[in-house]
């Protein structure tokens, strides 16, 4: 595999995250968190953060806490790459390299042993990797031991944290920096991504119970196996991602293994990895994936953290989830940049229907997006949504301008149900405006019983203010000021019996106490709306 060269010089957003932490520690809060998407380089951020802090710690040391072996080794390697002059020690299981280290990278399992954490002294800052785990009792005990509730600076890093979930708000006082995946895509730090749904007809997710707010793994795995999902997913992969290296996320070891078998039968070399797999066997399988001997890795939720294979360009979410955070962890594994890689493809496995609101590709971003077309990338969908929202805002602005313009006029301007502004000039005689859909200009039109709809001899659309002024002049020339003027005295008189009878006959609702002018407006709007509907004026324009 030809990987893009990695740089340890912090990117602009990484510098911002470091500044946000250092600045945040100047205030009253000391337990601060940073949320960065998968692929944003959080290890590079805290490696550079530690590099900046050590000179300020007065001889005290930095402690990095991680919960998996891969994360421990990655963190140690990145810190050494950023600062080759520092002594970086690892504390886990049989390793106990804390005596002369400037930076200690330790496993939470080892630190949970009182004797092991008591041996580590002189800590000036604590970094917690994948800090969405920090509400667990083991983390709480370790963080309390090192002074997290006594003012010691603590920084947590994760891709998925929601502060109110699972007691995390009790640990982290403030999220001082966050970054949206779409920002990274737009800035060229991650691949753009598109999604496709893989429908498994026999998969009934509504029979799967929910635990802790998400679908229960064991029952979900059974539902997938019972529905024959593996064969359907393998065929979908062959159709849509035959040339892509990918990872498949499944809820159980059994489904990971059955998926690998189905992929291999379909002609796509695949292998499964899982948490309790012997360490050497898992390393050998990952090496085969890197070498290309295995095209697809299926896994039981072990590749959501610490898995760094940027050539991966397809992620199969065969572990349907209601958690946007978990979805982002899974899908994010396919978004890293790699030489020759153009985009990422996410295949979402789901049943034909479900009452559950499942996370999907739109949950990768906090911005508004509707994936109406599966050929769209996430970036294209968000752009379309933003343009649509802008058009709504522009239209709203136009409508406000229109209302201000027409309602301030002395002429009796009314508006049909379809939004056409008109002046009732006389019985069965109206002048009105038709908006040009290309720009904000308007055509001038007149309707009368004898001639229908007609326009001026030189039919050129005019700016709104000019069109309005022209029609007001025409209305005054053609009709009665008594009828066309908004301030005419007759308008304040009580509504007549004839007016009210007309409204009853045409089912026009009249507010209690309406004046003659108000009822006349209701009548005119009803009559002219009916005329336009019959003649389809917009097509005639």
């Amino acid at each position: 595999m030809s990987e893009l060269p990695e740089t340890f010089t912090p990117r602009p957003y990484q510098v911002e995250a470091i500044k946000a932490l250092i600045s945040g520690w100047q205030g009253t809060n000391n337990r601060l968190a940073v949320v960065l998407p998968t692929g944003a380089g959080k290890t590079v951020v805290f490696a550079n953060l530690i590099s900046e802090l050590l000179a300020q710690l007065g001889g005290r040391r930095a402690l990095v806490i991680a919960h998996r072996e891969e994360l421990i080794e990655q963190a140690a390697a990145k810190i050494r790459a950023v600062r080759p002059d520092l002594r970086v020690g690892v504390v886990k299981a049989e390793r106990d390299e804390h005596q002369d280290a400037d930076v200690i990278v330790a496993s939470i399992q080892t630190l949970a042993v009182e004797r092991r954490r008591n041996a580590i002294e002189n800590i000036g800052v604590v970094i917690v990797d994948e800090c969405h785990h920090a509400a667990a009792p083991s983390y709480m005990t370790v963080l309390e031991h090192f002074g997290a509730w006594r003012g010691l600076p603590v920084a947590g890093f994760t891709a998925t944290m929601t502060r109110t979930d699972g007691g995390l708000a009790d640990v982290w006082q403030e999220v001082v920096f966050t970054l949206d995946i779409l920002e990274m895509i737009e800035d060229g730090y991650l691949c753009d991504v598109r999604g496709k749904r893989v429908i498994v007809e026999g998969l009934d997710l509504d029979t799967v119970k929910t635990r802790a707010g998400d679908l229960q793994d064991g029952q979900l795995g059974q539902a997938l196996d019972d529905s024959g999902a593996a064969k359907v997913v393998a065929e979908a992969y062959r159709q849509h991602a035959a040339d892509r290296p990918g990872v498949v996320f499944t809820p159980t070891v059994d489904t990971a293994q059955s998926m690998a078998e189905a992929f291999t039968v379909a002609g796509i070399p695949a292998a499964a990895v899982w948490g309790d797999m012997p360490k050497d066997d898992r390393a050998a399988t990952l090496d085969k994936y890197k070498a290309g001997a295995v095209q697809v890795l299926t896994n039981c939720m072990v590749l959501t953290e610490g898995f760094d294979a940027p050539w991966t360009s397809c992620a199969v979410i065969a572990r349907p989830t209601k958690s946007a955070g978990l979805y982002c962890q899974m899908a994010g594994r396919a978004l890293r940049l790699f030489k020759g890689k153009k985009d990422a493809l996410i295949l979402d496995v789901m049943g034909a229907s479900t009452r559950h609101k499942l996370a999907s590709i739109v949950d990768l971003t906090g911005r508004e997006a509707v994936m109406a077309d599966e050929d769209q990338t996430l970036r294209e969908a968000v752009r379309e949504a933003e343009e649509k929202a802008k058009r709504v805002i522009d239209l709203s602005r136009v409508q406000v301008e229109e209302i201000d313009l027409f309602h301030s006029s002395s002429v009796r301007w009314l508006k049909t149900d379809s939004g056409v502004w008109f002046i009732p000039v006389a019985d069965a005689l109206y002048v009105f405006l038709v908006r040009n859909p290309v720009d904000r200009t308007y055509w001038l039109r007149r309707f009368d019983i004898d001639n229908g709809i007609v326009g001026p001899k030189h039919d050129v659309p005019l700016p709104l203010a000019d069109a309005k002024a022209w029609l007001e002049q025409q209305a005054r020339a053609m009709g009665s000021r008594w009828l066309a003027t908004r301030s005419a005295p007759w308008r304040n008189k009580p509504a007549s019996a004839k007016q009210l009878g007309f409204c009853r006959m045409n089912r026009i609702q009249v507010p209690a106490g309406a004046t003659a002018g108000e009822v006349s407006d209701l009548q005119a709007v009803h009559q002219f709306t009916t005329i336009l509907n019959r003649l389809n004026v917009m097509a005639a324009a």
Side-chain angles (χ1 to χ4, degrees):
M1 297 285 179
S2 177
E3 298 188 38
L4 295 172
E6 186 168 15
T7 175
F8 299 108
T9 302
R11 296 166 175 170
Y13 67 82
Q14 293 171 333
V15 172
E16 286 182 47
I18 292 168
K19 287 180 178 177
L21 284 166
I22 293 174
S23 173
W25 282 324
Q26 309 306 312
T28 57
N29 293 334
N30 67 297
R31 303 188 305 278
L32 309 178
V34 168
V35 178
L36 292 172
T38 300
K42 58 184 171 56
T43 316
V44 173
V45 176
F46 67 67
N48 280 278
L49 172 67
I50 289 169
S51 176
E52 250 184 77
L53 287 177
L54 282 178
Q56 305 170 25
L57 291 178
R60 289 178 297 164
R61 306 182 295 172
L63 172 64
V64 178
I65 303 173
H67 74 291
R68 286 187 39 222
E69 183 170 339
E70 293 90 342
L71 298 173
I72 293 166
E73 298 299 341
Q74 280 182 24
K78 292 280 172 70
I79 295 166
R80 291 187 187 107
V82 170
R83 285 285 301 273
D85 59 312
L86 294 180
R87 294 165 297 180
V88 180
V90 172
V91 172
K92 63 169 186 171
E94 72 285 350
R95 294 174 68 178
D96 203 19
E97 304 161 359
H98 65 84
Q99 290 288 354
D100 299 317
D102 302 303
V103 182
I104 301 162
V105 184
S107 76
I108 186 62
Q109 295 85 355
T110 299
L111 294 178
V113 178
E114 186 175 7
R115 173 180 56 83
R116 300 294 294 271
R117 65 176 177 266
N118 284 342
I120 299 173
E121 298 177 337
N122 202 27
I123 297 300
V125 64
V126 172
I127 308 293
V128 182
D129 195 8
E130 302 295 351
C131 69
H132 54 282
H133 297 291
S138 57
Y139 277 89
M140 298 285 274
T141 299
V142 170
L143 289 173
E144 199 285 328
H145 169 84
F146 286 105
W149 276 267
R150 298 188 302 277
L152 183 84
V154 183
F157 291 83
T158 182
T160 63
M161 185 171 67
T162 301
R163 286 190 62 205
T164 54
D165 285 357
L168 286 170
D170 296 330
V171 182
W172 305 109
Q173 296 165 297
E174 185 180 0
V175 175
V176 293
F177 185 84
T178 187
L179 188 67
D180 194 279
I181 277 182
L182 197 67
E183 293 178 66
M184 294 192 63
I185 291 172
E186 290 174 336
D187 291 341
Y189 294 122
L190 290 177
C191 291
D192 204 352
V193 56
R194 66 186 76 244
K196 287 187 179 295
R197 291 179 296 172
V198 179
I199 305 298
V200 180
E201 292 293 342
L203 178 60
D204 184 4
L205 296 178
D206 291 343
T207 63
V208 178
K209 291 183 179 179
T210 297
R211 178 186 296 166
D214 204 0
L215 302 176
Q216 199 267 338
D217 286 340
Q219 290 192 11
L220 182 55
Q222 190 63 53
L224 286 163
D225 287 340
D226 291 347
S227 66
K231 187 176 180 181
V232 176
V233 174
E235 178 58 25
Y237 200 99
R238 194 182 64 78
Q239 288 183 14
H240 302 297
D243 59 341
R244 293 176 182 259
V247 293
V248 181
F249 293 93
T250 70
T252 66
V253 174
D254 287 344
T255 48
Q257 292 172 333
S258 62
M259 287 280 179
E261 291 171 9
F263 272 69
T264 302
V265 169
I268 301 166
V273 292
W274 59 93
D276 294 332
M277 187 178 190
K279 179 180 174 182
D280 291 343
D281 291 349
R282 186 162 72 183
T285 302
L286 294 175
D287 285 342
K288 287 180 183 177
Y289 180 59
K290 183 172 184 178
V294 166
Q295 183 182 346
V296 172
L297 280 178
T298 66
N299 81 101
C300 175
M301 303 306 294
V302 297
L303 302 182
T304 55
E305 299 168 355
F307 175 65
D308 193 5
W311 59 90
T312 302
S313 64
C314 181
V316 180
I317 314 301
R319 194 273 177 245
T321 178
K322 297 196 281 185
S323 166
L326 176 57
Y327 186 93
C328 290
Q329 278 188 307
M330 294 186 286
R333 297 297 148 189
L335 269 61
R336 293 179 186 268
L337 299 179
F338 192 75
K339 187 176 181 180
K341 180 175 168 182
K342 295 180 180 178
D343 62 14
L345 175 65
I346 310 299
L347 299 181
D348 287 327
V349 178
M350 54 187 64
S353 64
T354 179
R355 59 182 169 80
H356 296 298
K357 168 65 174 73
L358 299 176
S360 66
I361 187 172
V362 296
D363 292 298
L364 292 176
T365 176
R367 282 147 74 175
E368 194 68 31
V370 178
M371 304 298 291
D373 182 353
E374 285 195 341
D375 289 329
Q376 272 188 323
T377 66
L378 179 64
R379 188 179 183 185
E380 291 166 347
V382 168
R383 281 180 174 172
E384 183 176 297
E386 289 175 345
E387 288 172 4
K388 188 176 292 185
K390 183 177 181 298
R391 287 195 296 271
V392 169
I393 292 170
D394 287 346
L395 178 60
S396 175
R397 189 179 297 118
V398 169
Q399 290 171 341
V400 169
E401 289 175 3
E402 285 182 353
I403 289 169
D404 289 345
L405 195 60
F406 289 115
H407 285 188
S408 63
S409 174
S410 62
V411 172
R412 182 187 171 204
W413 282 99
L414 300 175
K415 197 175 188 181
T416 69
D417 295 344
S418 60
V420 176
W421 288 99
F422 71 98
I423 303 172
V425 178
D427 288 340
L429 174 60
Y430 305 88
V431 292
F432 62 102
L433 299 173
V434 177
R435 182 182 290 144
N436 182 352
V438 177
D439 55 28
R440 291 173 57 187
T441 57
Y442 293 76
W443 282 287
L444 313 177
R445 292 291 183 266
R446 186 185 77 199
F447 171 84
D448 63 54
I449 289 293
D450 296 328
N451 300 300
I453 294 174
V454 295
K457 186 177 294 184
H458 303 292
D459 195 13
V460 178
L462 300 174
L464 178 57
D466 294 341
K468 171 182 170 293
W470 180 267
L471 278 194
E472 288 179 354
Q473 183 181 347
Q474 293 296 305
R476 291 187 181 99
M478 291 188 294
S480 164
R481 294 183 63 85
W482 178 84
L483 183 62
T485 302
R486 189 184 300 279
S487 59
W490 68 271
R491 292 182 58 82
N492 295 320
K493 294 181 179 180
S496 68
K498 184 177 179 181
Q499 282 182 310
L500 296 174
F502 177 90
C503 289
R504 281 194 300 271
M505 185 181 302
N506 290 278
R507 298 181 179 177
I508 301 171
Q509 289 189 340
V510 178
T515 65
E518 291 167 342
V519 175
S520 179
D521 291 347
L522 292 172
Q523 289 175 296
V525 169
H526 170 81
Q527 289 174 307
F528 194 52
T529 295
T530 302
I531 290 168
L532 294 188
N533 288 342
R534 188 174 69 244
L535 298 178
N536 195 6
V537 67
M538 301 310 290

